Amino acid sequence: MKILIAGLTTNYQFKRLKEEGEKLGHIIDGCKSTDLIIKSGSDFNAETLNLDISSYDLVYSFVTKRRWEWYMAFNYVQEKFGTKIINNLSFLPTPVAE
């Protein structure tokens, strides 16, 4: 399986995810949230500086809510190519108002 970890590339957590994924035979790539490029014209395409997002079987997003363009790109890739998207923010607990 080819997996992209978005928004988490230089810390220990990414390193461990990459090591364990590769032990299982997966291809693991990472990109920064600021690397997203959205091309539009006659066709829409979402890429990073060096990677075509549509070529991945799974995208694991650690991107913050401030980068709304990632959500738009992931939604497009999921609908058009059937790529599984895991949004890490959906697993965070909802803050409780005091």
Side-chain angles (χ1 to χ4, degrees), residues 79-96:
E79 287 181 12
K80 185 167 183 177
F81 302 106
T83 305
K84 300 289 183 198
I85 307 294
I86 299 173
N87 180 354
N88 190 49
L89 295 176
S90 65
F91 297 107
L92 296 176
T94 306
V96 177

Side-chain angles (χ1 to χ4, degrees), residues 7-60:
L8 186 71
T9 59
T10 58
N11 66 18
Y12 179 74
Q13 189 175 12
F14 173 76
K15 180 181 173 186
R16 290 292 300 131
L17 288 168
K18 184 172 176 68
E19 286 174 0
E20 294 303 319
E22 288 175 348
K23 284 181 188 176
L24 296 171
H26 301 297
I27 297 169
I28 310 291
D29 293 318
C31 66
K32 296 178 185 176
S33 60
T34 56
D35 290 344
L36 178 67
I37 299 168
I38 299 175
K39 296 181 180 179
S40 62
S42 61
D43 194 21
F44 178 92
N45 193 19
E47 304 174 346
T48 70
L49 294 177
N50 300 314
L51 308 167
D52 179 4
I53 295 172
S54 66
S55 70
Y56 290 90
D57 303 305
L58 176 82
V59 174
Y60 198 105

Side-chain angles (χ1 to χ4, degrees), residues 69-82:
E69 60 271 25
W70 274 96
Y71 294 101
M72 298 300 291
F74 291 157
N75 185 46
Y76 169 79
V77 169
Q78 185 173 27
E79 287 181 12
K80 185 167 183 177
F81 302 106

